[in-house]
Amino acid sequence: MITPKVISSTQLAAADAKWITLKKIAYLDAEGQERLWECAERKTRKSTGIDGISAVAVLAILRSKTSAFPASTIVIEQYRPPIDKFIVELPAGLIDEGETPEQAAIRELEEETGFKADSVIESSPVVVVDPGMTNANMKLVVLGVVLDDKLELPDQKLEAGEFIVRRVVELSKLNSELKDYDTKACCWIRPRQIYVNKIFQGFVVDARLSHFASGYDLAARLK
């Protein structure tokens, strides 16, 4: 298996795009002056759910009935071509037609990580993603996963073309573990040594996961 990498990048006309389109928005500002804004919109947004929700992100809380391991969550590492790096993020995906966000979250968790949720702990209101550039939105669904004893990784159910590495991380150590990815990225670089096919692009942590981890860590320290 080769290491993924970007091999070309060209301009794409909106008419030729399969998944995303561009829009020019005319709007009135707070002083009544007409202004223009450019944004990207997903073509595949389904009609299901509230306000045409596009996607879900999944925060899984893993626990053991015997306390064989501390409360943990699962993050994934996945190559993302727009960044040309491996992104560390929460399991996530688009909502299929006819699905609720919670059903989509349960399905995506099992597909990407193999874990089956026992309960829906919380489902957030609709939140937006990069609103200066796109109208993409999503919900964060918190799922409970209770294991009988020690931690074991079940088989993933990945679709063709999906290559996902999963990591179970203690919630109390999540923030520090994510910060360690900067070190991992730096370690790939060795002076005066060239790697064929850009084997080591490094890692970047998704902003939403980073914000959650920082908030969780800060809340614990401010008690």
Side-chain angles (χ1 to χ4, degrees), residues 39-174:
C39 80
E41 291 187 3
R42 189 184 296 278
K43 290 183 175 181
T44 55
R45 177 175 288 183
K46 305 299 182 182
S47 60
T48 187
I50 303 170
D51 296 332
I53 303 168
S54 299
V56 291
V58 184
L59 176 63
I61 306 299
L62 278 61
R63 295 181 182 274
S64 165
K65 291 180 180 178
T66 62
S67 299
F69 61 89
S72 302
T73 191
I74 187 162
V75 300
I76 62 173
E77 300 167 1
Q78 184 172 200
Y79 175 75
R80 295 294 193 180
I83 310 297
D84 195 24
K85 292 183 183 294
F86 290 90
I87 308 302
V88 187
E89 56 193 351
L90 292 173
L94 299 177
I95 300 173
D96 288 343
E97 192 69 54
E99 276 189 321
T100 66
E102 295 74 25
Q103 289 170 336
I106 292 170
R107 173 180 55 77
E108 288 290 349
L109 179 66
E110 185 172 1
E111 288 178 358
E112 295 189 354
T113 74
F115 287 102
K116 295 183 179 181
D118 298 288
S119 62
V120 176
I121 298 174
E122 183 176 332
S123 186
S124 78
V126 179
V127 294
V128 295
V129 184
D130 200 357
M133 181 178 178
T134 175
N135 68 345
N137 62 12
M138 69 190 317
K139 295 187 78 170
L140 173 66
V141 180
V142 184
L143 299 178
V145 178
V146 180
L147 304 182
D148 290 333
D149 191 14
K150 64 181 180 179
L151 179 64
E152 295 181 349
L153 291 179
D155 292 334
Q156 294 166 285
K157 298 180 179 179
L158 300 177
E159 297 179 356
E162 284 188 316
F163 305 94
I164 293 174
V165 175
R166 47 203 174 144
R167 285 192 59 202
V168 175
V169 183
E170 293 180 28
L171 280 169
S172 62
K173 298 179 180 179
L174 179 60

Side-chain angles (χ1 to χ4, degrees), residues 214-223:
S214 296
Y216 186 91
D217 188 52
L218 184 61
R221 288 191 281 119
L222 292 178
K223 284 185 178 178

